[in-house]
Amino acid sequence: TEFNVDTFTSAGVQPNKLFQVGEGIDMYDTWSPEAAKSITVDVMTKLGINGTKAGWNVMSLFKFERRKNWKGLLRAYLTEFNKKDDICFYLKTHEGWEGNPEKWIKQYLRELISEKIINAKQLPCIFLVDSMIDAELLPKFFGEMSAFVLPSHAEGWGLPVLEAMAMELPVVVTDWGGVTQFSSGYSAQDRSHRDEWGRFTGGYAIRVERLEPAFDGTGAGNWAVPSVSHLKSILRHMYEHQKEARESGKLGRQRALRFDRNAVSARVLRNFNEIYEGIVAPKKALKRKKK
């Protein structure tokens, strides 16, 4: 991504040694709304959450770790909505570096309740989905949703966001890191055109409040701190302007198509040819001259 190229060049790597490739997915036979409709398995029943959907259904998907900013995500959702709202949030995650998701999430909710930040009797619909799901059923699960949100501190790429865009879901992402390559845009010009809700073709970009040392300052560099208040306003705006969000999601798929795996494979081959012509071939020619 442009973000990562800048990171490496800032660290002293020569630009001519860096190539942007991207991560491709099958946008036609797997990650597409039409392909998902052909899956006959009832994925919501398989996950044990059949009959739980509301009028507006939001999901997130990630490995359970601090980098994904799960606390900021939960805080934003649980303080913006209540049980009167026709909305449900599905957090699809699995055990990561921080251990068991259910244990940590329950502990965090108890903290929010004890600090009177949230009211346990007024909570909106929310489900933790930590059971495994077959890869071929994931597009079906995405297809059951209305929107996708991932306010992470940092992403090298952000594959679930690309998958969500391929499924025509409006996405809500942090306006920083590798994920900007195919979502909100990385350039200063892209960022200068953000409106109140950070709208871009395919979704909404969450403002970054500041950068801070990653992982409690263990020498791993910095990561972004996305604004919880801005995330809340975006989630509310989407909920109250669902037609706009759906239309944005449909346009987002067109934006994401350049990362279909066939297109990415073609770029990889071009890069290999550039490497060969620029580095390997001259060295071989030099060896022949010496002989």
Side-chain angles (χ1 to χ4, degrees):
T1 67
E2 291 177 37
F3 177 87
N4 292 320
V5 167
D6 279 357
T7 300
F8 281 107
T9 53
S10 297
V13 179
Q14 296 178 21
N16 64 345
K17 293 184 177 180
L18 298 170
F19 295 86
Q20 291 184 46
V21 176
E23 189 170 354
I25 60 175
D26 180 1
M27 295 272 188
Y28 296 98
D29 296 327
T30 304
W31 289 100
S32 80
E34 291 304 315
K37 289 176 184 177
S38 67
I39 300 174
T40 58
V41 176
D42 186 337
V43 68
M44 301 296 279
T45 297
K46 191 174 181 66
L47 291 171
I49 49 177
N50 186 42
T52 62
K53 288 174 62 177
W56 187 252
N57 301 283
V58 183
M59 71 169 289
S60 191
L61 184 150
F62 52 81
K63 179 174 67 175
F64 194 72
E65 59 184 26
R66 276 181 295 168
R67 181 172 63 85
K68 301 299 183 178
N69 190 27
W70 59 270
K71 286 185 177 181
L73 172 57
L74 290 176
R75 188 184 186 105
Y77 176 72
L78 295 174
T79 57
E80 180 60 32
F81 298 99
N82 60 53
K83 66 180 183 180
K84 294 180 181 179
D85 291 304
D86 189 15
I87 189 172
C88 198
F89 175 55
Y90 298 86
L91 174 52
K92 176 71 182 77
T93 188
H94 59 276
E95 190 167 314
W97 292 349
E98 295 191 7
N100 183 273
E102 183 176 0
K103 170 189 171 183
W104 286 102
I105 289 174
K106 284 183 175 179
Q107 178 179 315
Y108 183 57
L109 294 184
R110 285 193 293 268
E111 291 174 6
L112 294 178
I113 292 169
S114 66
E115 296 171 12
K116 297 185 179 180
I117 295 172
I118 61 174
N119 184 337
K121 295 181 180 180
Q122 296 295 323
L123 294 181
C125 173
I126 181 170
F127 285 91
L128 170 63
V129 185
D130 58 358
S131 56
M132 297 303 293
I133 179 174
D134 295 335
E136 59 267 23
L137 294 181
L138 263 180
K140 184 75 170 181
F141 183 51
F142 276 69
E144 295 284 345
M145 298 294 116
S146 310
F148 182 95
V149 56
L150 186 63
S152 55
H153 291 299
E155 292 291 335
W157 181 250
L159 183 61
V161 180
L162 182 64
E163 292 168 341
M165 292 178 72
M167 291 299 296
E168 297 186 351
L169 296 184
V171 299
V172 182
V173 295
T174 306
D175 199 13
W176 194 83
V179 71
T180 58
Q181 182 73 21
F182 55 84
S183 58
S184 56
Y186 174 64
S187 71
Q189 183 177 7
D190 288 324
R191 291 193 295 273
S192 68
H193 290 160
R194 303 279 188 264
D195 64 9
E196 181 179 353
W197 296 284
R199 285 181 285 202
F200 61 87
T201 303
Y204 306 81
I206 312 163
R207 282 197 298 266
V208 173
E209 288 187 345
R210 65 186 184 280
L211 300 183
E212 67 177 18
F215 298 107
D216 300 323
T218 56
N222 294 326
W223 62 22
V225 179
S227 168
V228 171
S229 62
H230 192 222
L231 173 56
K232 289 174 61 172
S233 70
I234 290 172
L235 292 175
R236 174 60 65 178
H237 178 81
M238 277 204 309
Y239 176 68
E240 294 180 351
H241 300 82
Q242 296 176 16
K243 181 180 178 181
E244 172 198 293
R246 290 192 184 97
E247 290 175 352
S248 181
K250 289 181 179 179
L251 293 174
R253 173 172 170 81
Q254 300 307 310
R255 184 184 182 108
L257 283 176
R258 59 199 169 111
F259 292 103
D260 173 67
R261 64 183 181 185
N262 290 326
V264 171
S265 297
R267 285 197 291 274
V268 171
L269 288 175
R270 286 198 299 270
N271 288 340
F272 277 133
N273 286 333
E274 287 180 38
I275 292 170
Y276 180 84
E277 295 297 333
I279 299 175
V280 180
K283 286 185 177 181
K284 284 186 173 181
L286 183 61
K287 285 181 179 180
R288 284 196 295 268
K289 287 184 177 178
K290 287 182 178 180
K291 288 181 180 179

